[in-house]
């Protein structure tokens, strides 16, 4: 599988796995963990979660999935903005580590901006990194102006996780170019718009040409950019397998032109979209 290189030089899979909405029901926990393990078997060894998801339940599912396989997995988690203070960050990280049943988080992100200054959050992240509790830190849902402010605080941001898919292209105007110019990889959450992609249009037509469904096409479209990591969530085995196919699907110039006609790129700055 193609990889994306982090600022520190480490390469991670361009296609990972998300866990939003996992861990919310006990009767689904085994199936969710099994889906993640299936993804690991297929090379999708970057797994994204957050303390927010299922009030920590998703982190527990991840802990189940990576048990006995921790060293092959790149674990990403996120801290709530209201916990992003000097004292709040390490306390939140310890809770996440306990739920994940691991001794380190590979990439720890600020989930979105809150009342605590970025400089304070970065200071707390760096302290965690020095202590070996996290290996890298980054952010999520930060727009271009936020990233410029963060750069003024100091270097070290390993990723910006944002909403990005064929129906949400606003970030292409300025945020994606900014991140590329500053060597900050982008993690695309909800890369298939949580299954709400329109049926019967360009994506289905392209999918028929390639023998895949519209969701695989949309995911391959996100993965076309070398600096972008996609983290779709799947629980059913066939959906995990369909996601994996996207990493090997090469869209043609004709395919990309059709997608541009159906989902035009932005012509001006747009507010950062969030879910």
């Amino acid at each position: 599988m193609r990889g994306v290189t982090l600022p520190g030089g480490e390469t991670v899979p361009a296609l990972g796995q998300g866990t939003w909405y996992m861990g919310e029901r006990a009767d689904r926990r085994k199936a969710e963990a099994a889906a993640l393990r299936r993804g690991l078997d297929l090379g999708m060894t970057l797994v994204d979660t957050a303390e927010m998801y299922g009030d920590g339940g998703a982190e527990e599912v991840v802990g189940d999935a990576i048990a006995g396989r921790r060293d092959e997995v790149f674990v990403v988690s996120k801290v709530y903005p209201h916990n992003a203070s000097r004292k709040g960050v390490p306390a939140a990280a310890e809770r996440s580590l306990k739920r994940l049943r691991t001794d380190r988080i590979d990439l720890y992100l600020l989930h979105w901006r809150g009342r605590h200054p970025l400089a304070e959050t970065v200071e707390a992240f760096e302290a965690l990194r020095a202590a070996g509790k996290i290996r890298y830190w980054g952010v999520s849902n930060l727009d271009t102006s936020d990233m410029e402010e963060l750069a003024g605080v100091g270097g070290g941001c390993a990723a910006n996780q944002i909403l990005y898919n064929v129906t949400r292209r606003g970030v292409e105007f300025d945020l994606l170019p900014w991140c590329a110019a500053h060597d900050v990889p982008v993690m695309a959450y909800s890369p298939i718009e949580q299954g709400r992609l329109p049926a019967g249009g360009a994506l289905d037509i392209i999918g028929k040409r390639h023998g895949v469904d519209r969701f695989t096409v949309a995911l391959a479209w996100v993965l076309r950019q070398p600096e972008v990591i996609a983290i779709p969530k799947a629980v059913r085995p066939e959906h995990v397998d369909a996601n994996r196919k996207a990493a090997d699907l090469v869209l043609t110039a004709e395919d990309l032109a059709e997608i541009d006609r159906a989902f035009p790129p932005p012509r001006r700055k747009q507010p950062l979209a969030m879910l």
Side-chain angles (χ1 to χ4, degrees):
M1 185 186 296
R2 181 178 66 81
V4 173
T5 302
L6 302 179
E10 184 170 350
T11 299
V12 298
L15 178 60
Q17 303 183 81
T19 61
W20 197 5
Y21 297 116
M22 287 188 181
E24 296 183 351
R25 287 179 47 174
D27 60 336
R28 294 179 179 173
R29 182 163 168 168
K30 287 185 179 180
E32 291 167 345
L36 291 174
R37 285 193 294 271
R38 186 180 185 92
L40 298 182
D41 292 340
L42 294 173
M44 295 182 284
T45 54
L46 183 150
V47 179
D48 175 81
T49 189
E51 66 172 338
M52 183 188 82
Y53 302 163
D55 291 327
E59 290 180 323
E60 293 177 345
V61 171
V62 173
D64 292 344
I66 68 175
R69 309 181 63 168
R70 176 64 185 91
D71 289 345
E72 67 184 89
V73 184
F74 190 90
V75 176
V76 183
S77 194
K78 297 182 282 293
V79 60
Y80 267 125
H82 61 258
N83 287 333
S85 63
R86 282 185 194 86
K87 293 183 178 180
V89 166
E94 288 295 343
R95 293 190 294 269
S96 289
L97 288 167
K98 184 176 181 180
R99 289 188 290 261
L100 290 162
R101 304 200 299 280
T102 185
D103 62 348
R104 81 277 188 194
I105 296 169
D106 295 296
L107 175 60
Y108 200 36
L109 308 177
L110 171 65
H111 210 149
W112 64 89
R113 287 201 73 168
R115 68 181 186 275
H116 298 293
L118 289 176
E120 183 174 342
T121 304
V122 169
E123 180 183 336
F125 281 161
E126 287 291 356
L128 280 177
R129 192 168 66 86
K133 300 290 185 177
I134 66 174
R135 299 179 57 232
Y136 304 96
W137 61 264
V139 293
S140 180
N141 296 304
L142 263 62
D143 206 347
T144 308
S145 60
D146 301 308
M147 295 303 293
E148 289 172 343
E149 180 182 342
L150 182 65
V153 170
C157 179
N160 185 11
Q161 185 177 127
I162 56 174
L163 176 60
Y164 181 48
N165 58 55
V166 293
T167 71
R168 313 266 194 166
R169 299 185 63 173
V171 295
E172 292 179 1
F173 186 80
D174 60 342
L175 182 55
L176 286 190
W178 189 97
C179 289
H182 292 81
D183 296 320
V184 177
V186 165
M187 299 182 71
Y189 74 81
S190 298
I192 56 174
E193 190 60 15
Q194 300 185 339
R196 296 188 294 263
L197 297 172
L203 297 176
D204 280 324
I205 293 170
I206 296 166
K208 186 172 293 186
R209 283 204 293 266
H210 292 280
V212 297
D213 63 24
R214 65 182 179 276
F215 304 108
T216 301
V217 172
L219 188 52
W221 179 87
V222 171
L223 291 168
R224 80 198 187 284
Q225 302 204 54
E227 72 280 1
V228 176
I229 301 161
I231 47 170
K233 172 242 183 180
V235 174
R236 297 173 62 179
E238 59 268 30
H239 291 166
V240 178
D241 294 346
N243 288 342
R244 178 61 183 85
K245 289 179 182 178
D248 298 323
L249 175 59
V250 178
L251 299 175
T252 67
E254 179 187 0
D255 296 332
L256 296 174
E258 287 184 40
I259 291 173
D260 280 347
R261 287 192 292 271
F263 307 95
R267 295 184 177 181
R268 61 183 180 275
K269 170 67 179 175
Q270 299 178 11
L272 184 66
M274 292 175 57
L275 287 178

